[in-house]
Amino acid sequence: MENINSPVSPKLEDNISTIQARLGNSPDLVIRTYELINRTARVAAIYIAGITDRVMVDDYISHVMSFQALNDRARLAVTPEEVYSYIKENALSIGKEKLVKDINGLLEALLSGDTVILVNGVKGGVSGSTCGGESRAVTEAGTQIAIRGSKESFTETISTNIALVRKIIKNPDLWTETMKLGDVTHTDITIMYIRGIADEETIRAFKDKLQEIKVDMILESGYIEQLVEDNKYSPFPTIFNTERPDSVAGNLLDGRIAIFVDGTPFVLIAPTTFFMFFHTVEDYYQRYDISSLIRMLRFVCLVISMYGPAIFVAALNFHQEMIPTPLLINLASQREGVPFPAFVEAVMMEITFEIIREAGVRMPSPIGQTVSIIGGLVLGTAAVQAGIVSPAMVIVVSLTGISSFATPAFNMALSIRMLRFIMMAIAAFMGLYGIAIFTIMLIAHLCSLRSLGVPYMTPIGPFVPGNLKDTFIRSPKSFMKLRKRLVHNGGSSASASAGKGASTGESNER
C-alpha cells in the first residue's frame, strides 16, 4: 500500500488504485473518467456520494472541463500540463478550490465532500468544494424554547450555523478561524469572535488550548467543553452551550468567543460566568420589569431546588423548635406510621423522581410526558397510602423537582440535582450548621473558578458595580449604555472600551 504522505503519482491508474485501496473499495466512492480532446487527455473526477451535492458536482465538472479554448489546438499535440493548467485556471475562478499535491491531502478533500480532478501525466490534482448531501432543516430550538424571539436554531451543518449568525451580525469584524481536531475523525472546528470587542489574549489562549487537544475523535461539542475546562473536577459547568443563533450573537457582542463543531447543533460560548446560566434571550425581548421578575424567580427556584429537601430534613431531625407548633404536630402525625428516617425518606423520593424524569426524557415525546405525569401521580399516591413516605415529603420533593426545571441551562440544572443529594446527607448528620458550612465551601469554590481567565462569579467576585444592572435583574434599555466588563485575573477589561464594532454598546448576557 502506498504511503498516504507520498505525492500524487503522474499515472492516473496508480492514483485511482491507491484511493480505492485506502477507502476499502467503498461502494460510495465514485470515479468518473473522461477521454478528452480527441482522446489526447485522460481526466478523472472523483467524489464520495452521500456527502456531496450531486448537482454541484455535475456543474463543477462541466465548468472546469469545458475545453472549447483547447479544441482549436486539438490538431496539435496537447500536453497533460496544458490540460491541467486549463482545469486549474477554470477551477480557481469559481472559488473554494485548492490544489492537492499528496495522497493525504487528496483523501482529506474527498472525505470533506470535495470533488477531486486528476489529469493523467500530472503530479497533482484540483479539488472543488461540492459538500452537500442530506441535512436537517433549520427548525425551532428543542431545548431552549422562547415564547418571543427568533424560532431558528442551529443544525448539524457547521456552514449553516455560521451563516445563521452572520445573518444577525452583518459586520466585517465578525471573524472566523477553522481547524481540524481528532486524529481519526478530523472534525471541523470553527471559532468565531468580533475583532475589536473580544480580548486578543483570550482568543490566543483559547486557540492554544484547542491546538493542544490530542484525541482520536471529536463527535460533539461536549468533547471540546470537557477538554478545555480550566477546572475539570468542578461540578459546575464553565462553558456555556446554546442552540440559538440570537444567543450566540448576543454573547459575541459582549466580547465572548463562539465555538462551532461540525455535526452538532450546540455551539459553545466562552468565557462564561455563573449568572449566564440563569439568563435567557427572552429576558431582552420583554419589558425590563417582567424580565426582572422572572429572573429573580429563577434564582428563588435555584435556592429551593438545592436546599428544599435538605432544610426539611434538618428541621425535622435537629431544629424542631424552628417549626411552628401546629405545623410540627401535623408533621409528627403524618410521620407516625412511616418506618424510615426523614433522610432515607427524602433520598427514596428523590431517586424515584429522578428515575421518572430520566424515563420521560429517554422515551418518545408523547409517551414520555404520559409516563412522567402518570408515574409521578401513581407512585406518590401509592407511597403515601402505603405509609412509606409522608405527604409533606411528597410535597417538598415535588416542589424541588419542579423548581429545578426553572433553570434554563440543562447542564447547570444537572449540577444542582447532584449537589442536592450531598446537601441532604450533610443536613441529616449536621443540621443547619452543616448546611451553612457546606454553603460557605461552595461559595469559596465558585469564587475560585475561572473560565478562560475570567472569574466565574463576576460581577459579585470580583465586584463590578456596573454589571449588576444585568445580573439579578434586567435594567431598562436606557440604563444599559455600556458593554459589560469581562474582568480577567489581572483585573483588565476584555471589552469595556472596545466597542467600535457594535451599534449600541449594550451589555446583554444571553
Side-chain angles (χ1 to χ4, degrees), residues 29 62 80 123 156 173 191 219 239 319 366 407 430 461 482 489:
L29 176 65
S62 63
K123 293 183 178 181
E156 287 74 19
D173 288 327
I191 64 172
L219 302 180
I239 303 291
H319 310 284
T407 301
M430 301 177 65
L482 298 178
N489 287 332

Side-chain angles (χ1 to χ4, degrees), residues 236 274-275 277-278 294-309 311 399-409 412-417 419-420 423 442 446 457 472:
F236 295 97
F274 175 79
F275 301 99
F277 294 94
F278 300 93
I294 295 176
R295 186 175 288 184
M296 288 188 291
L297 181 63
R298 294 193 197 110
F299 287 107
V300 171
C301 291
L302 166 65
V303 175
I304 294 174
S305 61
M306 182 176 291
Y307 290 96
I311 292 177
L399 179 61
T400 302
I402 294 173
S403 297
S404 66
F405 287 118
T407 301
M412 178 59 75
L414 288 175
S415 301
I416 294 170
R417 286 159 58 182
L419 291 171
R420 184 163 63 236
M423 196 78 73
L442 204 59
L446 287 170
M457 290 301 290
F472 297 103

Side-chain angles (χ1 to χ4, degrees), residues 346-358 375-376 379-380 397 421:
V347 170
M348 289 172 53
M349 288 302 300
E350 285 289 347
I351 292 176
T352 302
F353 189 87
E354 294 296 334
I355 291 173
I356 295 174
R357 173 156 46 184
E358 189 67 16
L379 287 177
V397 172
F421 285 93

Side-chain angles (χ1 to χ4, degrees), residues 68-80:
Q68 289 84 357
L70 290 178
N71 283 336
D72 296 336
R73 301 183 54 193
R75 301 173 186 174
L76 305 175
V78 179
T79 64

Side-chain angles (χ1 to χ4, degrees), residues 13-28:
E13 292 79 5
D14 292 347
N15 292 326
I16 293 175
S17 299
T18 300
I19 294 171
Q20 290 175 331
R22 285 293 300 157
L23 297 179
N25 293 311
S26 179
D28 59 353

Side-chain angles (χ1 to χ4, degrees), residues 218-279:
I218 299 292
L219 302 180
E220 212 271 341
S221 58
Y223 283 68
I224 303 293
E225 181 179 352
Q226 297 173 61
L227 291 169
V228 302
E229 283 183 323
D230 292 335
N231 193 329
K232 296 178 174 57
Y233 302 103
S234 172
F236 295 97
T238 54
I239 303 291
F240 185 75
N241 67 78
T242 180
E243 58 176 338
R244 295 185 60 92
D246 51 355
S247 178
V248 171
N251 282 287
L252 288 172
L253 290 168
D254 277 342
R256 294 185 173 88
I257 305 169
I259 304 96
F260 297 79
V261 180
D262 194 24
T264 176
F266 289 92
V267 175
L268 303 180
I269 301 293
T272 303
T273 63
F274 175 79
F275 301 99
M276 279 181 59
F277 294 94
F278 300 93
H279 298 172

